[in-house]
Structures are given as structure tokens and as C-alpha cells.
Amino acid sequence: VEDIDNYNAHPYQKLPIIKKYKNGNTLESLQWGLIPSWAKDKDFKALINARLETIDEKVSFKKLIKNYRCIAVADGFYEWKREKEKIPYYFARKDNKPIFFAGIYEDDQFCLITEEANENISEIHHRQPVIINQTDINRYLNLELQGSAFLKECNKPDLVFYEVSKDVNKPTNNSASLIQNVSI
């Protein structure tokens, strides 16, 4: 896993992922964006998100949520509020701890699982990534439990958010200035 600061993770980039490996967990770099093994069309657009509400039904995801779960690790994430123009916001845990996003993977690719936004986040965006607490990582990765049911019931950490620079809209921009609050 590369050890570089990344303030602007984006789809198709390799990112740090926790996976279950034999009797423990492993940290690997996987590409964000999953092309299902059944997709024969070379122009198939990689899937970056899977909806928690339908993950057990969709042919692209039902095998993966059962057998291939992972956790993406980050300090925060961006969402865009749609007004006359898209305004970026940065989200982080209220307690400043790392964020653990629930995901699924296949081979060297992964996608994040999303759910309807909670009341706090819904003023910015109608969806949000499924975030679990560090203490729940092993439970989520335990394939003996039903992954989707666990994610629907587990406690989620509290998040804070604020407006950030539109420079985040360009994936090649990657500096700490991207996560600075522009409304201060």
C-alpha cells in the first residue's frame, strides 16, 4: 500500500482497503471502481457504489456482499450540494478518528456501499457512504454474518461537514488546502 497523502481520492485510483485474509485482516491497494466478472462489454462503466437497499438482489453485488467484503479507510470524504452549481463539502468524523467505509470487492477492484443520507447529511446530498465504527470491522468482515443486515443495524459515527474549495473538482489537485473550510 502506497504511503502518500491523498486529499482527493477518486474513482479508478488505487486506495487502501482492509480485507479478511485467512485468520486475520490484510491491508491492500485496490482500484475504486468494479467491473463485474460477467460484464463482457469492454465499454462497461465501472461501478463505484452499491446501494445497501438492493445489494442482496442485484446480480452485480449479491455474491460479493456474501463472500467478498472489504473496508476502505479514509480521514473524510466529499459530497456536492446541487444548487445553481455544485458546491463541494468535506465530511469527517466528529471525533477526528479515521472513517471506515463498508465495501465489496472482486479481484483487485472494489466499490463502496451507500445508503440513504441521515437527516444531518441529507441537506447536502440524498445518499451517503455506509460508515462503520472501527470496533465493527471484524464483525462486518465475518462472512458467517449477513453483511447487509449488519450494515442496516450497526451504529454509525457522528459526522461534521463544511464547504470546501471547488479545486477538489479536479482529481489532479491533491493538497491539504482541499479540506480547508472556505466559509471561515
Side-chain angles (χ1 to χ4, degrees):
V1 175
E2 292 180 39
D3 187 24
I4 54 173
D5 290 335
N6 188 347
Y7 296 95
N8 202 0
H10 55 83
Y12 311 111
Q13 186 176 47
K14 287 197 172 235
L15 299 170
I17 302 300
I18 299 170
K19 295 173 20 180
K20 189 162 202 70
Y21 182 75
K22 296 183 181 174
N23 295 329
N25 295 334
T26 181
L27 184 65
E28 299 179 19
S29 289
L30 300 185
Q31 181 176 302
W32 183 11
L34 192 148
I35 297 176
S37 56
W38 55 262
K40 306 225 183 301
D41 181 0
K42 298 275 189 240
D43 293 333
F44 189 91
K45 187 176 178 187
L47 307 168
I48 60 170
N49 295 325
R51 288 178 173 255
L52 179 58
E53 300 87 347
T54 58
I55 200 165
D56 292 315
E57 304 157 19
K58 299 288 183 181
V59 68
S60 302
F61 305 128
K62 63 184 178 181
K63 175 184 87 173
L64 302 180
I65 188 63
K66 186 174 183 183
N67 299 309
Y68 299 98
R69 299 180 207 152
C70 64
I71 303 287
V73 184
D75 291 323
F77 65 98
Y78 302 103
E79 284 295 354
W80 286 258
K81 184 175 187 173
R82 292 181 189 264
E83 292 184 338
K84 291 179 183 174
E85 58 184 326
K86 289 169 47 173
I87 301 168
Y89 284 79
Y90 180 72
F91 291 78
R93 283 182 57 139
K94 200 176 228 179
D95 59 12
N96 288 320
K97 291 183 178 179
I99 292 179
F100 300 98
F101 301 107
I104 51 178
Y105 73 94
E106 187 169 42
D107 300 324
D108 63 346
Q109 304 171 334
F110 77 98
C111 72
L112 297 178
I113 300 172
T114 65
E115 62 187 348
E116 283 189 37
N118 68 33
E119 191 176 321
N120 186 28
I121 294 174
S122 65
E123 68 182 80
I124 305 300
H125 198 273
H126 68 287
R127 307 279 308 160
Q128 72 180 65
V130 175
I131 300 170
I132 65 172
N133 288 298
Q134 185 172 0
T135 54
D136 290 328
I137 290 174
N138 287 330
R139 289 190 62 210
Y140 174 62
L141 295 178
N142 179 352
L143 299 179
E144 293 175 15
L145 297 175
Q146 187 194 18
S148 58
F150 172 73
L151 293 176
K152 289 173 185 172
E153 296 167 7
C154 70
N155 291 326
K156 310 292 189 328
D158 292 327
L159 301 175
V160 294
F161 60 90
Y162 49 84
E163 187 177 340
V164 294
S165 167
K166 291 185 177 120
D167 290 345
V168 74
N169 294 337
K170 187 174 182 186
T172 54
N173 289 337
N174 185 21
S175 70
S177 66
L178 295 177
I179 63 171
Q180 298 304 311
N181 188 337
V182 296
S183 62
I184 295 179

